[in-house]
Amino acid sequence: MSNLRLINETNASSVSSLTVDNIFSADFDIYKMIIDNDNAGNNVMKMRLVNSSGSPVSAGGLYDYANLELNASASFGEDKNTNYNEMRGLYEALEGNSAVVYFFNPFSNSSYTFRLHQAQSFYTTNYPRGGKGIAVLKQTSSITGIQIYQTGSAFSYLNIRTYGLRVDS
């Protein structure tokens, strides 16, 4: 029996924003999300968490994030912010992008929600890169979903699969 339970699969095309709600619940403390996307504009993919009222948490500088950029054709870099209005680190992709993201305790209203991720993208044909990062929502509220968006062009496609991770005692 697998410890991963598929909770939701959402596919969209030609959108600049996508909200996937009602994926986090009291059933699991840890979630795995796989995100695949492509866009024509190399825009930065941004993420906000959605609270139990169905609204993205977008104000108040409640997010901190830090990312290590592992560039194949340039030196490594960092992207980090504190007291920000969104999470970053899932990358832009002219020729394809994928990320594996873990969320910890999103539904708990007594702890912060943490995110770990690993991502890869092709910024251009000769510019592949990977990344690893962490982010936190510094608010003790029940989180039920995510919002992914970018400014500028739309995603050519955006596929999101969410799994609950069962922990056996």
Side-chain angles (χ1 to χ4, degrees), residues 25-145:
S25 69
D27 294 340
F28 300 95
D29 293 328
I30 302 170
Y31 293 83
K32 178 180 182 178
M33 186 175 287
I34 299 172
I35 303 170
D36 297 308
N37 75 83
D38 195 6
N39 71 65
N42 271 337
N43 294 313
V44 176
M45 183 190 304
K46 304 166 188 174
M47 179 183 284
R48 291 182 174 143
L49 301 178
V50 175
N51 62 27
S52 58
S53 300
S55 301
V57 178
S58 60
L62 295 171
Y63 297 101
D64 291 352
Y65 69 86
N67 303 301
L68 177 61
E69 298 172 345
L70 309 169
N71 300 307
S73 301
S75 59
F76 287 8
E78 293 180 359
D79 176 24
K80 57 186 175 182
N81 265 303
T82 58
N83 305 318
Y84 214 59
N85 292 328
E86 64 201 16
M87 299 176 181
R88 293 194 179 179
L90 301 178
Y91 296 130
E92 66 271 28
L94 185 62
E95 299 177 21
N97 174 46
S98 62
V100 177
V101 185
Y102 287 92
F103 294 93
F104 299 89
N105 300 313
F107 196 73
S108 171
N109 60 7
S110 62
S111 64
Y112 290 171
T113 299
F114 284 87
R115 180 189 89 178
L116 293 175
H117 73 271
Q118 295 184 31
Q120 71 78 33
S121 68
F122 284 94
Y123 187 70
T124 63
T125 302
N126 296 318
Y127 200 113
R129 71 167 146 186
K132 296 177 75 94
I134 187 169
V136 61
L137 171 62
K138 301 177 295 184
Q139 183 181 67
T140 54
S141 62
S142 185
I143 299 301
T144 58

Side-chain angles (χ1 to χ4, degrees), residues 7-10 18-25 31 33 48-57 106-107 142-148 160 162:
I7 295 169
N8 179 280
E9 184 167 359
T10 300
L18 179 63
T19 299
V20 183
D21 200 4
N22 299 315
I23 53 174
F24 303 139
S25 69
Y31 293 83
M33 186 175 287
R48 291 182 174 143
L49 301 178
V50 175
N51 62 27
S52 58
S53 300
S55 301
V57 178
F107 196 73
S142 185
I143 299 301
T144 58
I146 61 153
Q147 178 188 57
I148 292 179
I160 302 170
T162 306

